[in-house]
């Protein structure tokens, strides 16, 4: 008999997650039919080499190759980022062309751009997007600010969900203003007085907010239908999706979109204990966010873009006190549930390597941007699979020959003994297509392990 | 006493700084002298950042303390004196990009090192750089950018300077996360700085200070 999930070890859970990834299902839970036996074989081989690279138990057949750009597929297909956010047929056309033109080992999926119309309905203020604050031909941009005020830590710690619904979301989405008037749902207990809690739902601002939510929800549903259809098609062609979802390091959760860079850095001085407590409070929430996405999508890899722990951002002391403990807890929480954390060490993390390597072996995948790859291999690379380090300026300005040489060198250093995936280091927009072609070709040409 | 403010600010002791400033003000001390001490304190902060003793949170905090000091002192200022500046610099994050943390740090370091910086902010249209250069006559321009799209914005900004006939009158430096010597060549800038200290060194060199 199969073991119950709760009784499995984390190794067994990871194995089970990889198995689920191997047997792909659509959103309704039906098996996805492959377009040919070759496609099915390619799909399974791709996952097998990725799994072998990550687990570090045996040498994969060859070094896998990922391409994880930002808005490149749009430029490549001759549509604007604006088109991709408003016309889902064009969106899928571009991302399919990207997949088939370059044939990397994973499908980036078309989830990145997001549904522009839904953001419009919600009056989303946190971002400017193509044609809505930035040029139709540019990528979306985050408008940093103090969306959570310095004196709101207690409210966040006390009840994160309520803080989000009644305070944070109305600030970030103009159309959710009515949420400010929502009752605490935990007040709905027994018949005496219970109806009082429903009064707010009768108020015009709250009703207007729900109306906007219904409309945005309908648009999001349309969008995910399109995104899902492309995902299934890519799977049926033999390309596994690159991620099962995402989560964040608690320091970045607060530092990126709640308090902002300036806010969190002042808090490190003025109210360090509250900041630490809030990060502790968010840790299980960040774990749950990753685990439930992985479960829902039947995919072990959960992406974690890392921002404000990079070299230069914090001193070593500050990193050890404020960034690392809760980030590590999030990774361990994911690992315990069979999920493979996929952090992206954006920028340089060379000075952090000795701290980062304190994680269990064969359980994580790290996207490396500009950190010194030889050093990364020697430290973090001893316990974790690495991906990345092909630089944006090379892809944009170099020649295919230079790209090939660079990839070959990477495979020689980082690929030694397995545990490496060829990948770009940063999320580029416009680069030369022939350079990406050269990158994939080089990975396949030099990446075969001699056994 | 005077020495204390410099050191206390450099050590980022916010409350003590405010106490010193308040007591000096009520003792009738010259507000200009207080500001001068604060500036010296900030200079030390800049030096500590350059030697990797301080990091971004420390810069942000020092800026916040300075702002509070200036607010206290300003009402007491009868006259403002223009402190001598090393030179003017026009600075901004180029069109299509709104990453501002790196830019703010370079601006901060140029400022504490004695430059007069015109910070145009983020997502700065090409034309705005040209106009500001003409208006201020600044001989030094700094362009910051992080996205690959920014490489092209930088190139276009420098081309617009050429078209407007101001390119020969300025030295242009670029920088930001993914910027490299290759990108410098592509954009036609005079130099690339890998960090804020490199930016300051370039500005000093171009302004003829050693
Ligand atoms: C913080 C950050 C953000 C924040 C921006 C906050 C803000 N207010 O700026 C948030 C989370 C919002 C963000 C969002 C995005 N980001 Co961002 N972000 C970063 C990150 C992690 C750090 C950049 C930074 O501020 N560094 C801190 C400064 C102090 O260091 P620095 O950059 O090295 O700057 C120093 C030097 O470069 C130099 N310098 C800087 N400018 C100049 C100018 C001159 C003249 C000189 C001499 C020197 C100089 O001096 C500085 C101080 O020493 C980088 C990765 C990284 N670590 O570099 C990605 C990164 C820049 N982001 C990137 C991307 C793609 C995005 C997004 C488009 C992602 C997306 N698809 O959603 C979005 C949208 C863009 C936006 N701005 O909203 C990519 C760019 C990829 C590329 N070029 O190929 C990067 C490199 C991440 C990556 N690895 O892919 N981002």
């Amino acid at each position: 008999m199969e073991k119950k999930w709760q009784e499995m070890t984390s190794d067994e859970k990871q194995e089970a997650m990889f198995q689920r990834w191997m047997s792909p299902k659509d959103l309704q839970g039906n098996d996805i039919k492959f377009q040919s036996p070759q496609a099915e074989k390619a799909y399974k081989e791709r996952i097998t080499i990725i799994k072998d690279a990550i687990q570090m138990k045996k040498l994969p057949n060859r070094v896998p190759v990922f391409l994880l750009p930002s808005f490149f597929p749009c430029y490549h297909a001759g549509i604007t980022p604006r088109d991709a956010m408003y016309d889902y047929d064009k969106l899928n056309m571009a991302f399919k062309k990207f997949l088939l033109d370059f044939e990397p080992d994973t499908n980036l999926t078309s989830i990145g751009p997001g549904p522009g119309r839904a953001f419009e309905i919600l009056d989303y203020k946190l971002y400017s997007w193509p044609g809505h604050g930035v040029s139709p031909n540019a990528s979306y941009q985050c408008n940093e600010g103090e969306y959570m005020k310095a004196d709101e830590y207690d409210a966040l710690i006390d009840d994160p969900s309520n803080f989000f619904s009644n305070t944070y979301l109305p600030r970030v989405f103009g159309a959710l203003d009515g949420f400010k008037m929502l009752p605490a749902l935990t007040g709905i207990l027994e018949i005496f007085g219970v109806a009082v809690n429903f009064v707010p739902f009768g108020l015009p601002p709250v009703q207007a907010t729900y109306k906007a939510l219904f409309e945005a929800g309908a648009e999001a549903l349309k969008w995910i239908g399109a995104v899902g259809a492309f995902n299934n098609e890519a799977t049926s062609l033999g390309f596994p999706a690159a991620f099962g979802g995402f989560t964040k390091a608690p320091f970045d959760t607060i530092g990126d979109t709640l308090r902002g860079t300036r806010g969190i850095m002042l808090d490190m001085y003025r109210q360090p204990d509250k900041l630490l407590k809030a990060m502790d409070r968010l840790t299980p929430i960040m774990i749950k966010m990753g685990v439930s996405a992985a479960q829902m999508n039947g995919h072990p890899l959960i992406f974690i873009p890392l921002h404000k722990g990079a070299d230069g951002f914090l001193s070593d002391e500050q990193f050890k006190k404020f960034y690392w403990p809760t980030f590590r807890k999030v990774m361990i929480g994911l690992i315990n549930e069979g999920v493979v954390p996929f952090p992206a060490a954006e920028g340089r993390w060379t000075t952090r390597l000795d701290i980062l390597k304190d994680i269990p072996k064969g359980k994580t995948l790290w996207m490396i941007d500009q950190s010194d790859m030889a050093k990364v291999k020697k430290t973090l690379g001893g316990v974790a699979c690495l991906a990345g380090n092909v630089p944006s300026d090379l892809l944009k300005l170099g020649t295919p020959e230079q790209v090939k040489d660079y990839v070959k060198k990477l495979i020689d250093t980082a690929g030694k003994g397995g545990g490496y995936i060829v990948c770009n280091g940063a999320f580029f927009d416009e680069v030369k297509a022939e350079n990406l072609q050269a990158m994939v070709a080089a990975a396949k040409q030099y990446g075969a392990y001699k056994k | 006493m005077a020495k204390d403010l410099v050191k206390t600010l450099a050590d980022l002791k916010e409350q003590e700084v405010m106490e010193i400033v308040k007591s000096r003000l009520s003792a009738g001390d010259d507000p200009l002298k207080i500001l001068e001490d604060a500036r010296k304190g900030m200079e030390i902060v800049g030096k500590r950042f350059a030697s990797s003793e301080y990091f971004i949170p420390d810069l942000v905090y020092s800026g916040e303390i300075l702002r509070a000091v200036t607010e206290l002192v300003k009402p007491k200022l009868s006259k403002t004196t223009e402190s001598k500046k090393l030179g003017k610099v026009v600075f901004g994050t180029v069109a299509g990009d709104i990453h501002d943390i790196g830019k703010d740090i370079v601006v901060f370091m140029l400022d504490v090192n004695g430059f007069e910086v015109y910070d145009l902010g983020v997502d700065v249209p090409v034309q705005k750089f040209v106009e500001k250069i003409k208006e201020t006559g600044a001989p030094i321009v700094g362009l910051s950018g992080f996205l690959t799209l920014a490489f092209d914005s930088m190139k276009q900004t420098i081309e617009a300077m050429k078209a407007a006939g101001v390119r020969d009158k300025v030295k242009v430096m670029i920088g930001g996360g993914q910027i490299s010597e290759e990108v410098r060549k592509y954009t036609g800038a005079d130099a690339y700085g890998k960090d804020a200290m490199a930016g300051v060194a370039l500005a000093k060199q171009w302004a003829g200070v050693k």
Side-chain angles (χ1 to χ4, degrees), chain A residues 49-69:
Chain A
I49 55 174
I50 295 166
K51 181 178 154 202
D52 289 342
I54 290 172
Q55 293 186 332
M56 306 175 82
K57 286 179 191 156
K58 62 174 198 263
L59 215 50
N61 281 337
R62 70 169 163 83
V63 178
V65 51
F66 291 6
L67 290 179
L68 305 175

Side-chain angles (χ1 to χ4, degrees), chain A residues 305-313 344-352 367-372 376 389 425-427, chain B residues 146 176-178:
Chain A
L306 304 181
H307 292 148
K308 284 147 193 174
D311 285 357
F313 265 100
E346 298 188 2
R348 271 185 203 84
W349 290 65
T350 310
T351 63
R352 314 283 188 219
M367 182 170 170
I368 303 296
D369 182 2
Q370 301 179 51
S371 308
D372 178 332
V376 181
N389 192 244
F427 313 108
Chain B
F146 294 80
Q178 309 279 326

Side-chain angles (χ1 to χ4, degrees), chain A residues 245-249 302-306 327 330-331 334 341-345:
Chain A
F246 96 110
T247 188
K248 293 186 74 153
I302 291 296
F303 194 63
I304 314 178
L306 304 181
F327 168 38
V330 168
M331 285 194 287
L334 294 175
F342 184 0

Side-chain angles (χ1 to χ4, degrees), chain A residues 144 251-252 255-256 260-261 265 306-310 313-314 323, chain B residues 101:
Chain A
E144 248 204 81
F251 189 88
D252 289 328
D256 284 347
T261 312
M265 291 185 166
L306 304 181
H307 292 148
K308 284 147 193 174
F313 265 100
L314 303 174
Y323 199 97
Chain B
I101 304 168

Side-chain angles (χ1 to χ4, degrees), chain A residues 75 133-134 137-139 141-144 261-262 265-266 268-270 308 312-316 318 348 369-370 392-393 396-397 426 428-431, chain B residues 12 14 49 53-58 60-62 64-65 67 96-101 123 147-149 151-152 177-184 186:
Chain A
Y75 303 114
V134 293
N137 210 24
S139 79
Q141 305 266 325
C142 176
N143 301 309
E144 248 204 81
T261 312
R262 187 176 155 279
M265 291 185 166
L266 294 179
M268 288 168 59
Y269 274 100
R270 288 181 176 157
K308 284 147 193 174
F313 265 100
L314 303 174
S315 71
D316 254 11
Q318 290 163 342
R348 271 185 203 84
D369 182 2
Q370 301 179 51
S392 290
D393 64 335
K396 164 101 185 162
L397 305 172
F428 55 85
D429 298 310
E430 253 183 309
V431 300
Chain B
L12 307 178
E14 183 176 18
F49 178 74
E53 192 182 330
Y54 277 178
F55 289 84
I56 303 180
D58 316 295
V60 169
Y61 191 43
S62 72
E64 197 58 22
I65 302 175
R67 203 180 50 78
D97 198 339
I98 60 182
H99 284 89
D100 62 2
I101 304 168
D123 188 11
L147 304 173
T148 37
L149 286 173
F151 303 177
D152 291 306
Q178 309 279 326
I179 303 300
S180 64
E181 179 55 24
E182 291 312 307
V183 181
R184 183 202 66 76
Y186 177 71

